[in-house]
Amino acid sequence: MRNTACLLSLLLCAVLLGTSLAAHADSYEAALPPELSSAKRLCDYAPCTEVLPGATRFSERMGAPPYVEGYRGDGASARLVGYVMLSTDITDTPAYSGKPVVTLIGMDTAGRFTGVRILKHSEPILLLGIPESALIDFNRQYIGKFVGDNIEIGTSRPDEGVIGLDAITGATVTVVAQNQVMMTSGTAVAQQVGILEATPRPQARFADPAGTPDWDGLVADGAVQRLLVRRRAVGLEDDGEPFIELWFGALDHPRIGRAILGEHGYRSLHRQLGETDHAIFVIRSGGAESFKGSGFVRGGIFDRVQVRQGRDTFTFRDLDYQNLYDLKAAGAPAYRESAIFIIRGKGIFSNAYPWRLVFLGNRVDRATGERTFANFDREYWLPEAYLEGGRPVVERPDPTWLKIWKERAPAILGFVALLLATAAVYASRDRLVRRSTHKNKWPVNGFKYAIWVLSIGFVGFGLLAQPSITQVLTWFHSLLFQWQWELFLSDPFIFLFWVFIIVTVFVWGRGLFCGWLCPFGSLSELLFKLGRALGLKHLQRTPPKALHDRLKWLKYWIFFGLLAVSMIDMGLAEKLAEVEPFKTTFLIGLFERSWPYALFAASLLGLSIFVERPFCKYLCPLGAALAMPTTFRWFGLRRKQECDSCKACAKGCGSLAIDRDGRIDPRECLLCMDCMVLYYDDHGCPPLAQERRRRTRDGCDLTPIGADGYYIPIRPVPADGSRR
Amino acid sequence: MVDPRMPSDPVVPSYAEGGSLARRLAAELWDHLWPWSRDGFRRHKALQAAGMALGLAASTMWVIAALGHLAAGAVIGAWFGWSVFEVLVRLGAKPYVKEGPWWGRRYRRAGPMDMLCYVGFKNLLIGASLFLLLKAAGMVVV
Ligand code: SF4
Ligand code: SF4
């Protein structure tokens, strides 16, 4: 029969796959021409006219980072109408899938966005859950907005100068990443073409502590920094050598300049620097890759290194380059390539503030061979002692995930309170079940029903925080391939829920989550209870135990199947994970979703009125994944010896988790507490009721019931009063 | 008579009774790492021998990986294959799992699913730690 379960799961997967593939998706993992990221004529390979309406002719890629100019008309009458940029030329910000959303962006000469077009994305949620049109609608919000505005996801805050954009419900991470891509790309181009004026920064006043440090001293001070890129970071096989190892530092600071160039060299450099110029040195001590680039041409731009400070980017042309022949600092590493770059700061760059040296490279996808733009950077900030008055106070913007946590603080507090309250209620189960009887379970159920209602309304529909098997698969992958805390932290509710789930599964088993807090599970059982309350009891059925014992394996097969598929193709696994009706129920809504999914979810919910939690019992891969570690939960439920022959609890167990020997299968038990109520109920538990009757008949006291589920024995006190 | 207080019949591995804490912990660690038992050997010689061979192969795989000659897929595949075999070996040689808190001394007979959960979880932890270690050392490529 396990084979039947296996077959059924395969069938289910096939049906789901069929419907999934039928789902329409334009740019999901679209194959893009390789020239798109490398050809000079970008617009020969990208629909530039769509994002810059009115332009009839486009230039070649220009600038660093690159963009193209769009003109209307030809020859002398040609008029510049705006700029087009490819997001992956400028930033490699990953979205939820860990891969960037390749976006073509148009901007007019006044710095207003004129069009946005997604060329390729790998976001599973947009493939299956949320229609791609949602992202198109989201992007439409940028049109007409000025690149220099403070645009954020969320509500507008005019007093703080923040323009808010409506997020896509259920795809927060994707849109937060997309906003970052839009703003970074737009700003990078707007600054190059002079639309955005950079704000000047107060210039550094150098302190010059006595003595000339050697190389190790400079490194220890933080006056020289290392930027290391490993081969695997760019998709190459590791061979022990780094892809590139660079050391760099500010050279216009006298202490560093003298240590690196010697007194004479420093003076000569200093003489050449203009008033607003700054110099840095870079050496390559490891790796075969050149940081100057092999394709460097006279008059051109060094396209592999740049300096960024805040939103400002500083690139280097041939005139900004000088040879660095010799490093005077004792103990400096051997190097294969060296350079002095002059930053034409124009008062915008300042050594008093942190800046980053950026190495621009390509990452090769090992599976597809596709190259994508990737940059690697390292922060540099002159040490406190090197600046007169020390480092100025710098307000760094919060990372995106922190912004989300701050914005949603009240809801997060409410959610945490719910989790803690549920754990507290369950931890007090002994007291609650003792107060209940098989006829009145309200002391337990009152709490449970309230938690169900909150989990459905607040957690499920409100916060969209329904945990899913896809998260387990994503973690599994991240653990093996690339762990990104950012990614997990960006959804605070799911993150906190998982912390709670992991802890409680090991302490009590999956039942606390599944039986009390899972939004879908709660909805499912609530429908069953409602059905009963509305007089449908005569239509409600419990599957025969023998059949249940065979069918329950189905969910494990589904889980294993998904895990195996995810190893080969994560995208496919995400599609197959549609076996969970969670997205349809909570994220998108039954009436918003295409009919095969809506029908599937509605059928399961409909069936739940007549059979208790059919999805949880037989199909839920998440339930299966959580059931497995439940084997090792620390604290199980109480039983007494007579449970082996008494069937009272087993009959009442809606999860069919009690076998004919009275043993509880912890993997199937949803901790409903019904059997625990009976355990202490001297009118409901047959052996206890028998003892009660015996004691009453014999005129003995009814002592309190102990933890073992029996009356505390009455021990006769010896006549002499001594204790035994 | 069945004891319904345990999900399956209680079992007492020899090391679980008596002995100092250090001894018991060492024995338990050995139990997690070494799936075979003398008793199991007597009963299923061929299976145990094949298991030993596979165990050796799995260990060698980690060594090769440590030498930097294996790709991630191969490591994961081999470890998964070994884990399936370990379930079979343990069901013959050490067919028990712990019941209740990890610091306790209660053991019970393991059914195939119990064993699968145990080996799956244990090997996930071992595999993930070794894998991350090798990855951090740059010895395995993903
Ligand atoms: S089995 Fe699945 S749907 Fe049911 S309660 Fe558990 S996680 Fe939720
Ligand atoms: S009746 Fe007992 S065994 Fe059954 S689900 Fe409820 S708590 Fe678990």
Side-chain angles (χ1 to χ4, degrees):
Chain A
M1 195 62 187
R2 288 207 191 147
N3 293 343
T4 324
C6 178
L7 263 176
L8 274 172
S9 57
L10 282 176
L11 201 70
L12 192 76
C13 287
V15 171
L16 279 166
L17 182 62
T19 46
S20 309
L21 293 181
H24 182 67
D26 277 343
S27 51
Y28 179 79
E29 288 291 351
L32 297 177
E35 295 87 352
L36 184 77
S37 54
S38 55
K40 279 209 166 308
R41 301 211 61 88
L42 166 70
C43 295
D44 288 356
Y45 303 93
C48 293
T49 39
E50 266 183 46
V51 296
L52 190 62
T56 49
R57 195 168 58 78
F58 294 93
S59 72
E60 291 187 343
R61 271 189 166 103
M62 57 205 295
Y67 61 93
V68 299
E69 289 176 340
Y71 294 90
R72 168 179 284 169
D74 274 322
S77 63
R79 189 170 60 83
L80 179 69
V81 287
Y83 312 91
V84 176
M85 62 213 92
L86 184 67
S87 66
T88 42
D89 274 353
I90 301 167
T91 169
D92 56 356
T93 308
Y96 186 76
S97 58
K99 295 182 186 170
V101 172
V102 184
T103 313
L104 194 70
I105 304 163
M107 184 172 75
D108 65 17
T109 47
R112 297 193 181 278
F113 290 110
T114 52
V116 187
R117 167 82 193 265
I118 307 286
L119 301 183
K120 175 182 175 178
H121 74 83
S122 313
E123 305 297 279
I125 182 84
L126 294 174
L127 174 66
L128 285 162
I130 296 160
E132 222 171 80
S133 58
L135 188 57
I136 296 173
D137 290 343
F138 170 80
N139 282 332
R140 215 169 272 146
Q141 299 180 84
Y142 286 97
I143 296 177
K145 296 221 163 50
F146 179 55
V147 63
D149 284 339
N150 201 350
I151 300 177
E152 281 182 12
I153 307 297
T155 42
S156 291
R157 299 193 301 277
D159 44 327
E160 294 171 42
V162 174
I163 298 180
L165 295 184
D166 298 333
I168 304 177
T169 318
T172 319
V173 180
T174 310
V175 295
V176 167
Q178 184 65 7
N179 187 45
Q180 201 172 326
V181 164
M182 290 293 298
M183 299 321 289
T184 312
S185 308
T187 309
V189 175
Q191 282 181 340
Q192 286 187 70
V193 298
I195 295 173
L196 282 185
E197 286 290 322
T199 2
R201 292 182 172 82
Q203 293 302 300
R205 278 178 296 134
F206 297 137
D208 192 2
T212 307
D214 60 4
W215 181 264
D216 288 343
L218 288 170
V219 174
D221 284 352
V224 167
Q225 293 287 351
R226 181 169 81 138
L227 169 57
L228 178 70
V229 182
R230 295 195 185 278
R231 287 172 61 82
R232 76 185 127 91
V234 291
L236 298 175
E237 204 139 322
D238 254 329
D239 60 1
E241 270 276 294
F243 179 70
I244 192 164
E245 182 185 44
L246 302 176
W247 293 92
F248 64 99
L251 217 45
D252 44 341
H253 191 284
R255 184 171 161 87
I256 309 170
R258 270 188 221 114
I260 297 287
L261 304 174
E263 185 66 43
H264 176 71
Y266 170 69
R267 279 182 189 288
S268 129
L269 174 74
H270 198 68
R271 273 197 301 276
Q272 295 167 44
L273 289 181
E275 206 171 310
T276 56
D277 291 347
H278 306 267
I280 63 166
F281 80 93
V282 183
I283 59 167
R284 170 165 61 95
S285 57
E289 207 63 24
S290 161
F291 67 81
K292 294 181 202 166
S294 46
F296 177 73
V297 285
R298 191 155 286 283
I301 283 178
F302 288 90
D303 58 1
R304 294 198 173 179
V305 278
Q306 51 181 233
V307 162
R308 285 196 197 144
Q309 191 164 43
R311 297 202 324 188
D312 307 309
T313 303
F314 303 88
T315 47
F316 307 112
R317 299 178 165 274
D318 56 351
L319 291 177
D320 308 328
Y321 167 82
Q322 288 189 16
N323 288 323
L324 171 62
Y325 295 110
D326 187 18
L327 247 63
K328 300 282 191 232
Y335 55 92
R336 302 174 202 174
E337 199 179 15
S338 61
I340 294 174
F341 290 116
I342 314 290
I343 301 170
R344 309 290 175 196
K346 296 181 190 143
I348 298 157
F349 179 87
S350 167
N351 254 321
Y353 296 88
W355 51 270
R356 304 183 152 268
L357 180 76
V358 186
F359 176 76
L360 307 142
N362 285 301
R363 185 177 288 125
V364 184
D365 187 324
R366 286 165 68 83
T368 60
E370 214 174 279
R371 295 176 90 84
T372 46
F373 168 75
N375 62 44
F376 307 90
D377 58 21
R378 171 87 197 191
E379 188 181 275
Y380 185 93
W381 195 0
L382 276 178
E384 188 89 19
Y386 286 47
L387 290 166
E388 234 177 61
R391 287 171 168 178
V393 179
V394 171
E395 266 194 38
R396 294 177 192 260
D398 287 336
T400 315
W401 68 265
L402 191 58
K403 272 190 211 158
I404 299 177
W405 280 68
K406 282 185 178 168
E407 247 169 51
R408 310 224 54 192
I412 291 174
L413 282 179
F415 182 60
V416 170
L418 174 65
L419 297 182
L420 293 180
T422 307
V425 167
Y426 187 74
S428 333
R429 64 192 173 284
D430 220 56
R431 241 173 291 156
L432 298 177
V433 294
R434 279 168 185 272
R435 272 190 214 151
S436 314
T437 65
H438 68 292
K439 291 208 171 126
N440 174 20
K441 295 181 189 156
W442 275 99
V444 175
N445 287 354
F447 282 112
K448 193 164 64 182
Y449 295 163
I451 293 169
W452 279 357
V453 170
L454 284 172
S455 90
I456 299 166
F458 173 55
V459 182
F461 288 111
L463 305 176
L464 307 176
Q466 164 74 56
S468 153
I469 190 66
T470 52
Q471 289 141 11
V472 178
L473 302 179
T474 310
W475 289 352
F476 205 69
H477 263 242
S478 311
L479 189 70
L480 295 179
F481 300 110
Q482 198 186 3
W483 187 264
Q484 283 176 301
W485 277 110
E486 276 257 318
L487 191 69
F488 302 121
L489 287 168
S490 53
D491 194 329
F493 304 104
I494 293 290
F495 179 82
L496 290 168
F497 220 159
W498 273 105
V499 172
F500 177 85
I501 292 170
I502 290 168
V503 172
T504 56
V505 160
F506 281 110
V507 180
W508 293 309
R510 69 145 167 155
L512 187 58
F513 166 69
C514 284
W516 294 62
L517 272 169
C518 170
F520 190 84
S522 306
L523 180 59
S524 181
E525 196 170 340
L526 196 65
L527 285 173
F528 185 78
K529 301 270 187 222
L530 279 177
R532 179 166 292 187
L534 294 176
L536 295 175
K537 188 170 179 195
H538 64 288
L539 293 175
Q540 295 187 325
R541 295 283 177 275
T542 307
K545 179 82 168 110
L547 180 65
H548 166 82
D549 282 343
R550 287 167 177 171
L551 284 182
K552 69 182 181 189
W553 299 109
L554 189 55
K555 59 179 176 289
Y556 295 100
W557 283 110
I558 294 176
F559 169 59
F560 290 135
L562 286 175
L563 195 63
V565 172
S566 77
M567 285 289 140
I568 304 157
D569 185 343
M570 191 65 187
L572 182 61
E574 299 255 8
K575 287 178 213 164
L576 292 174
E578 280 294 323
V579 68
E580 294 176 331
F582 304 160
K583 254 188 242 167
T584 312
T585 311
F586 298 108
L587 256 60
I588 305 163
L590 282 175
F591 302 107
E592 311 290 320
R593 194 97 203 254
S594 57
W595 71 266
Y597 298 102
L599 182 67
F600 178 60
S603 313
L604 283 172
L605 289 173
L607 191 61
S608 304
I609 301 174
F610 306 102
V611 179
E612 190 177 317
R613 294 190 182 231
F615 176 74
C616 302
K617 283 194 176 91
Y618 307 118
L619 296 178
C620 183
L622 177 62
L626 297 179
M628 294 183 70
T630 296
T631 311
F632 308 106
R633 86 261 167 272
W634 295 344
F635 306 110
L637 298 178
R638 297 186 198 282
R639 305 260 72 200
K640 50 189 106 175
Q641 185 55 56
E642 283 87 344
C643 298
D644 67 344
S645 50
C646 164
K647 304 279 174 265
C649 288
K651 244 194 207 147
C653 174
S655 300
L656 300 172
I658 305 179
D659 71 8
R660 64 188 145 92
D661 293 325
R663 285 173 160 157
I664 295 177
D665 180 349
R667 289 186 286 263
E668 298 300 316
C669 166
L670 297 189
L671 299 179
C672 72
M673 293 292 107
D674 283 359
C675 61
M676 292 305 297
V677 169
L678 221 51
Y679 179 87
Y680 290 115
D681 182 357
D682 57 6
H683 284 77
C685 170
L688 202 54
Q690 202 179 355
E691 169 73 359
R692 179 182 52 79
R693 282 194 295 269
R694 194 186 58 74
R695 285 194 179 198
T696 320
R697 189 193 59 213
D698 297 348
C700 296
D701 280 347
L702 292 181
T703 51
I705 299 168
D708 58 0
Y710 299 103
Y711 288 111
I712 293 174
I714 302 170
R715 292 224 173 84
V717 181
D720 61 3
S722 67
R723 289 185 165 225
R724 293 210 188 170
Chain B
M1 196 166 43
V2 168
D3 181 357
R5 282 164 291 206
M6 290 276 241
S8 55
D9 293 339
V11 171
V12 186
S14 54
Y15 62 80
E17 287 174 325
S20 66
L21 181 69
R23 251 197 130 87
R24 196 160 63 84
L25 281 182
E28 220 170 86
L29 183 70
W30 177 248
D31 215 38
H32 288 310
L33 297 176
W34 187 253
W36 298 278
S37 74
R38 245 180 252 156
D39 187 39
F41 241 116
R42 252 173 257 136
R43 280 186 287 133
H44 312 274
K45 260 193 195 133
L47 185 74
Q48 300 288 339
M52 283 271 205
L54 238 112
L56 202 71
S59 313
T60 321
M61 180 269 305
W62 281 112
V63 176
I64 299 175
L67 294 175
H69 299 311
L70 263 190
V75 177
I76 297 169
W79 194 230
F80 177 76
W82 159 250
S83 301
V84 172
F85 204 83
E86 189 181 338
V87 172
L88 297 178
V89 171
R90 278 190 186 265
L91 278 174
K94 293 182 169 175
Y96 49 80
V97 287
K98 193 170 252 188
E99 169 65 10
W102 299 346
W103 55 91
R105 292 179 186 218
R106 294 167 69 212
Y107 295 80
R108 62 181 178 86
R109 177 157 285 281
M113 191 57 183
D114 295 324
M115 195 52 90
L116 191 79
C117 295
Y118 164 67
V119 172
F121 185 59
K122 171 183 70 92
N123 284 4
L124 180 72
L125 289 186
I126 297 180
S129 332
L130 284 177
F131 190 84
L132 293 182
L133 216 77
L134 291 186
K135 213 174 84 171
M139 287 168 175
V140 67
V141 193
V142 292

